[in-house]
């Protein structure tokens, strides 16, 4: 289960604009399975945010784990996850892709994981396999902040 408590009625950390209870909580509680690669990607981002490493391992295709375990995921320093921007999402039959930027703060610096992730549907379950890393596209000074504060980037996390 999660290491961070979250109010089920608060907005979901995956930035879907739904509550956690309506969005990722049913996946984390194993009451539902993701119907699309994007749902799985959002629930995995939320699991990183909540430090729910069991969920991350369970939704990672076993042939692509490459010795990844809970201890590795929990190694310090851990980023402070800020937000998720899904750029593109697609799937056909049992294969899918999601391109995203996952924003985080580490050592007072803002950065993002910009990735095109691959997913496979196995026995009715979507699973993450691997992703192609790309350079993050940083916001401009006058863009809205990546943390969704409503402020300009320069007046918030970029200041």
């Amino acid at each position: 289960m999660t290491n961070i408590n979250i109010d089920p009625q608060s907005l979901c950390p995956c930035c879907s604009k739904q509550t956690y209870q309506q969005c990722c909580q049913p996946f984390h509680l194993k009451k539902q399975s993701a119907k699309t690669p994007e749902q799985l990607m959002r629930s995995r981002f939320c699991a990183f945010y909540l430090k729910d490493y069991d969920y991350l391992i369970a939704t990672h295709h076993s042939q692509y784990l490459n010795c990844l375990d809970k201890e590795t995921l929990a190694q310090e320093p851990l980023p402070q996850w800020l937000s998720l921007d899904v750029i593109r999402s697609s799937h056909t039959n049992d294969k899918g892709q999601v391109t995203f930027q996952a924003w985080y703060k580490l050592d007072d610096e803002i950065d993002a994981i910009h990735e095109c992730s691959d997913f496979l549907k196995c026995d009715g379950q979507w699973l993450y396999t691997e992703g192609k890393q790309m350079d993050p596209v940083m916001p401009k000074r006058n863009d809205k902040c990546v943390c969704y504060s409503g402020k300009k980037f320069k007046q918030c996390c970029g200041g």
Side-chain angles (χ1 to χ4, degrees):
M1 195 51 193
T2 62
N3 291 331
I4 296 175
N5 291 324
I6 183 170
D7 177 356
Q9 297 303 317
S10 65
L11 286 177
C12 193
C14 81
C15 304
S16 66
K17 299 182 181 164
Q18 296 178 324
T19 66
Y20 176 60
Q21 186 175 40
Q22 295 169 316
C23 192
C24 292
Q25 187 182 41
F27 306 131
H28 295 162
L29 295 176
K30 298 180 179 100
K31 292 183 176 181
Q32 284 183 323
S33 294
K35 293 179 178 69
T36 65
E38 182 175 337
Q39 278 186 331
L40 182 62
M41 180 65 241
R42 288 184 177 281
S43 70
R44 286 177 56 81
F45 172 84
C46 191
F48 273 108
Y49 180 95
L50 296 171
K51 297 180 175 74
D52 187 350
Y53 304 130
D54 289 327
Y55 183 81
L56 291 167
I57 298 296
T59 58
H60 200 126
H61 194 292
S62 61
Q63 293 179 359
Y64 294 85
L65 272 173
N66 300 320
C67 300
L68 182 68
D69 58 20
K70 292 187 293 183
E71 291 74 24
T72 304
L73 289 168
Q75 282 181 349
E76 300 282 339
L78 293 173
Q80 174 191 350
W81 295 102
L82 300 173
S83 64
L84 175 68
D85 292 328
V86 174
I87 299 164
R88 241 180 329 282
S89 178
S90 64
H91 69 280
T92 53
N93 300 322
D94 61 349
K95 292 183 180 182
Q97 281 192 327
V98 178
T99 302
F100 68 91
Q101 286 200 136
W103 293 97
Y104 64 91
K105 187 183 275 192
L106 183 64
D107 297 328
D108 293 325
E109 295 288 323
I110 296 290
D111 206 351
I113 295 172
H114 188 182
E115 182 175 300
C116 180
S117 296
D118 292 326
F119 297 85
L120 288 176
K121 195 172 193 179
C122 303
D123 299 322
Q125 302 261 341
W126 284 105
L127 298 170
Y128 172 78
T129 58
E130 58 189 348
K132 178 185 173 220
Q133 299 286 313
M134 298 173 276
D135 290 333
V137 179
M138 297 303 287
K140 294 180 177 69
R141 291 176 35 82
N142 289 321
D143 288 345
K144 288 186 179 180
C145 192
V146 297
C147 74
Y148 286 89
S149 66
K151 297 177 183 176
K152 290 181 180 181
F153 183 66
K154 69 180 178 185
Q155 296 170 326
C156 195
C157 293

